[in-house]
Amino acid sequence: MDFQTLVDSVGMACAVISVEKKETDHWGDIRIEKANSLYKKIMGPAYYDGMLYYELIPQEVLFEDFCFRCAIKKQHLHNYVDTRSMGLWTDATYIPLESDRDNVGYLLFFFEFTKNAETSRMSDVSAQTAPLVIQTCLKLKGSENYYSSMKTVIADIQDITDSFCSCIILIDRQKKEKKVLCSKFRNDCARIEDYDHYLPYELVATWDETIRNSSVIVKDEYDMEELRKKNPRWVESLCSANVKSLILVPLIHNQITMGYLFITNFDTERFVELKEYIELSAYFLSVEVSNNNLFEKLEHMSNTDYLTGVKNRNAMNERVDFFVSGTKTVKAPFGVLFADLNGLKQRNDSLGHEAGDLLLKDAAKTLKKVFGDYEIYRAGGDEFVVIAPEVQKEFFERKVAELKKIASDEGCVSFAIGAHWNQDGKDLRKSMHLADETMYQDKEQYYRRHEKAD
């Protein structure tokens, strides 16, 4: 066959690739035998006929596997993937060619680059994959609760992939934290807590460097050994967890990795189908995670006092409204504390508002130190409120006494304090009113003491 004439007849960047078949039913050398002018133009002057493909582009096991399946197993393949190593998306087609050699197969490989993901190309999927992806999208939108829909989808992914474990892991590189958003195991007795110690943040943080393109897929021992070359510590952890096969797909939005879809011990016989399904599902999961992150960030901003970091008056009013409407109760018994910061006006007048801001921050830190496990609100300029659900009277009174002791120490933040403990949990507003009244009585005593001292 005249390979050069063949590639020259294709209007896209195109090459004929040869794949050497090993006796172990695996591949050996993969070479670019012939390429058309557009292919050569894209690849640059380093190209020459018959070169090993990884002399031109980074070595990639998934690309090699697709070439092997096409040239040797005669499978017609297509994928549209985020080629992270090149900063582009690659729309690639693999067509098997006839070969007159027993140990070498050939394929026609042609591709186009796009700068960003294009939905029209992403939707070009197989008949087996399409209904599965549609099902995933419908379930993502089928529940008003984000966490509930994510749990439903990850359970479907575990079932479709017949994996031992399927989970979504989120990562926050600024805080150096990772958390499992949701998970599903083949064995209902298995728990993510039993699996989680194999996935410390320090290990998860290495995954981005390991993923050269759109995913990491391990189907067999050969793939595992190839992964070991890139990330030996991770492979050691996988083997310790008895992982034989793996799919890892990053959840990316605006070029930022927010987390990963992590699947172990899946049905490797359906590798091509599952790769297409998982990578496309990961795209839609990325959108959902990003939207929820934005929503939670906006919600946090609208309910958090920017100066002190505690909840603001808006959040407190919402809490009370939810209680009155019965949407969210405060679990009984509960305690309510009002703490009015003494001396803020004098500090502002004498030392300026920056000094006043520092006093407010110190006040919030003091409240967090004493009531850090409970709800703390900045209700006004110098007024704070604490709501402590499910707290026994003796414990609540000890906490109030602890705050009063700190407030009475010379040189520390000074509060006027009022508190009320509610046993039956029936009227939050009444408890707040009683605590507020007690606080004002304490405030009056504070001013009387200081007037005498003056």
Side-chain angles (χ1 to χ4, degrees):
M1 184 181 296
D2 185 349
F3 290 150
Q4 190 64 58
T5 300
L6 176 61
V7 295
D8 288 343
S9 67
V10 179
M12 300 166 58
C14 179
V16 169
I17 296 176
S18 66
V19 180
E20 180 186 11
K21 179 184 177 182
K22 292 290 191 180
E23 293 181 359
T24 55
D25 196 30
H26 227 284
W27 59 85
D29 289 343
I30 298 178
R31 297 180 179 275
I32 307 172
E33 298 293 344
K34 296 289 182 179
N36 64 9
S37 58
L38 184 54
Y39 187 100
K40 294 174 183 177
K41 180 180 179 181
I42 292 172
M43 293 305 175
Y47 173 82
Y48 64 90
D49 289 346
M51 68 188 303
L52 292 165
Y53 89 92
Y54 55 77
E55 296 178 75
L56 198 59
I57 60 175
Q59 189 167 8
E60 176 56 59
V61 173
L62 289 178
F63 173 74
E64 293 178 359
D65 185 90
F66 265 49
C67 288
F68 177 77
R69 288 172 181 271
C70 180
I72 304 302
K73 297 189 175 182
K74 304 304 179 185
Q75 297 177 12
H76 180 181
L77 301 171
H78 168 263
N79 64 356
Y80 182 55
V81 296
D82 182 4
T83 317
R84 307 179 77 200
S85 60
M86 303 177 72
L88 299 164
W89 281 73
T90 303
D91 189 340
T93 301
Y94 306 70
I95 299 176
L97 299 174
E98 292 299 321
S99 173
D100 56 1
R101 301 170 64 185
D102 293 336
N103 67 330
V104 175
Y106 297 95
L107 70 127
L108 189 68
F109 174 73
F110 52 92
F111 68 91
E112 285 184 311
F113 289 138
T114 63
K115 186 175 181 180
N116 300 304
E118 296 181 1
T119 54
S120 59
R121 296 176 188 262
M122 296 187 75
S123 61
D124 183 16
V125 297
S126 66
Q128 294 89 347
T129 301
L132 298 177
V133 174
I134 292 171
Q135 173 183 301
T136 296
C137 292
L138 289 174
K139 290 191 175 181
L140 281 173
K141 299 298 183 183
S143 172
E144 294 183 0
N145 185 288
Y146 164 75
Y147 295 97
S148 175
S149 64
M150 284 298 197
K151 287 180 180 178
T152 300
V153 168
I154 206 67
D156 279 357
I157 289 174
Q158 185 277 324
D159 182 55
I160 290 167
T161 59
D162 191 23
S163 56
F164 171 72
C165 170
S166 292
C167 65
I168 294 174
I169 300 172
L170 303 182
I171 187 167
D172 187 327
R173 294 184 183 278
Q174 288 186 331
K175 295 180 179 179
K176 295 187 176 181
E177 295 175 348
K178 65 90 187 173
K179 70 173 182 178
V180 176
L181 175 64
C182 52
S183 62
K184 183 65 171 66
F185 287 79
R186 180 186 298 146
N187 180 354
D188 288 335
C189 296
R191 303 178 307 159
I192 193 62
E193 291 80 4
D194 301 327
Y195 217 55
D196 199 34
H197 69 276
Y198 294 108
L199 300 167
Y201 168 81
E202 294 74 18
L203 186 59
V204 173
T206 68
W207 289 354
D208 238 19
E209 296 178 5
T210 305
I211 302 173
R212 285 183 174 170
N213 290 327
S214 59
S215 58
V216 169
I217 300 182
V218 173
K219 309 177 299 302
D220 50 32
E221 291 182 4
Y222 176 87
D223 291 350
M224 190 69 79
E225 289 307 308
E226 289 297 311
L227 181 60
R228 189 188 299 275
K229 296 175 185 177
K230 302 176 186 176
N231 197 329
R233 183 186 168 200
W234 182 22
V235 170
E236 183 179 344
S237 175
L238 291 171
C239 293
S240 299
N242 199 33
V243 172
K244 306 296 184 184
S245 59
L246 163 76
I247 301 176
L248 180 77
V249 185
L251 304 179
I252 301 172
H253 187 72
N254 288 336
Q255 299 182 333
I256 296 174
T257 300
M258 304 170 294
Y260 303 90
L261 181 54
F262 179 77
I263 299 167
T264 64
N265 295 351
F266 66 99
D267 182 2
T268 57
E269 294 297 318
R270 297 164 55 222
F271 155 67
V272 174
E273 172 196 345
L274 294 180
K275 177 182 184 297
E276 185 178 54
Y277 164 67
I278 291 299
E279 289 183 344
L280 192 52
S281 295
Y283 175 81
F284 294 108
L285 287 169
S286 299
V287 174
E288 289 299 309
V289 171
S290 176
N291 288 344
N292 185 72
N293 287 350
L294 177 60
F295 172 79
E296 290 186 348
K297 183 178 181 180
L298 292 173
E299 186 176 45
H300 176 78
M301 290 172 63
S302 68
N303 290 309
T304 302
D305 179 57
Y306 77 95
L307 179 65
T308 62
V310 301
K311 296 177 184 294
N312 61 18
R313 185 177 186 86
N314 177 61
M316 186 184 75
N317 290 339
E318 188 177 72
R319 183 70 159 113
V320 174
D321 290 343
F322 282 152
F323 181 91
V324 172
S325 67
T327 306
K328 291 181 182 179
T329 60
V330 179
K331 292 185 178 179
F334 63 78
V336 176
L337 177 135
F338 273 59
D340 193 273
L341 181 58
N342 292 322
L344 178 63
K345 185 178 184 303
Q346 293 85 342
R347 176 73 70 92
N348 284 332
D349 291 344
S350 61
L351 299 175
H353 285 279
E354 286 189 9
D357 289 347
L358 287 174
L359 184 61
L360 284 165
K361 290 178 182 179
D362 288 341
K365 288 178 183 177
T366 301
L367 289 167
K368 288 176 185 177
K369 180 180 179 182
V370 179
F371 291 98
D373 294 334
Y374 299 108
E375 302 168 24
I376 303 172
Y377 302 88
R378 184 182 174 193
D382 56 3
E383 188 172 88
F384 295 85
V385 174
V386 177
I387 299 176
E390 288 188 292
V391 63
Q392 295 304 315
K393 184 177 183 181
E394 295 77 13
F395 181 81
F396 181 63
E397 288 178 345
R398 282 203 305 272
K399 286 291 183 181
V400 174
E402 181 183 346
L403 182 64
K404 286 182 176 180
K405 183 178 184 307
I406 293 173
S408 65
D409 289 344
E410 191 171 338
C412 292
V413 174
S414 175
F415 290 109
I417 296 170
H420 184 263
W421 181 76
N422 187 313
Q423 184 172 10
D424 57 26
K426 289 183 178 178
D427 198 335
L428 174 61
R429 288 184 298 181
K430 182 178 179 180
S431 290
M432 294 178 73
H433 175 71
L434 293 172
D436 190 32
E437 282 189 340
T438 308
M439 183 267 291
Y440 272 105
Q441 293 171 11
D442 192 32
K443 191 80 169 177
E444 289 175 1
Q445 293 176 10
Y446 169 81
Y447 283 121
R448 282 199 295 269
R449 288 194 301 271
H450 280 72
E451 284 173 2
K452 289 178 181 179
D454 293 339

